[in-house]
Amino acid sequence: MVSRFRRRKHWPNIPIVAFRGELGIAGDRGKRYSWGYGACPDLTQHETVWRLLDAERAIGTALTTAHQIVPEQSTAAIIIHHPQATYFNAAASRELLTA
């Protein structure tokens, strides 16, 4: 998801709308998975996402050597709106498999 500021800056002619409402998606449906949290603990995967999406050119974001997003407080996420989407903890699952 792109912040309202970035949307206005990079895509000024695209109206900002409530995507869930426009798509008919209930507010309690779906999940958001972000790197650095349980479902996607490996921040180095930001490199792959940035390369595939060409995020630096497309929206002006960059990665630090620690794989943090610049500007500060930016977030990368996979958003799933499927009604059966659930949250999972990849790190905990990996620990169970290696125990």
Side-chain angles (χ1 to χ4, degrees):
M1 219 149 108
V2 178
S3 73
R4 288 177 185 260
F5 167 78
R6 290 212 179 279
R7 289 192 61 201
R8 283 191 184 105
K9 180 180 176 186
H10 295 283
W11 303 286
N13 299 326
I14 298 174
I16 296 172
V17 296
F19 290 108
R20 287 179 181 254
E22 184 177 280
L23 297 172
I25 298 170
D28 61 342
R29 186 171 128 186
K31 296 293 178 213
R32 175 181 165 269
Y33 308 99
S34 292
W35 287 272
Y37 293 94
C40 308
D42 187 359
L43 283 176
T44 64
Q45 293 176 344
H46 273 152
E47 291 179 12
T48 302
V49 173
W50 255 242
R51 190 172 52 255
L52 289 171
L53 299 178
D54 196 8
E56 193 161 344
R57 184 192 58 78
I59 60 174
T61 58
L63 296 176
T64 68
T65 56
H67 307 100
Q68 298 293 324
I69 305 169
V70 177
E72 207 172 305
Q73 297 185 13
S74 297
T75 303
I78 300 169
I79 300 171
I80 309 291
H81 289 294
H82 193 279
Q84 294 176 341
T86 59
Y87 193 79
F88 60 93
N89 188 325
S93 299
R94 191 176 13 227
E95 289 173 12
L96 287 173
L97 292 173
T98 59

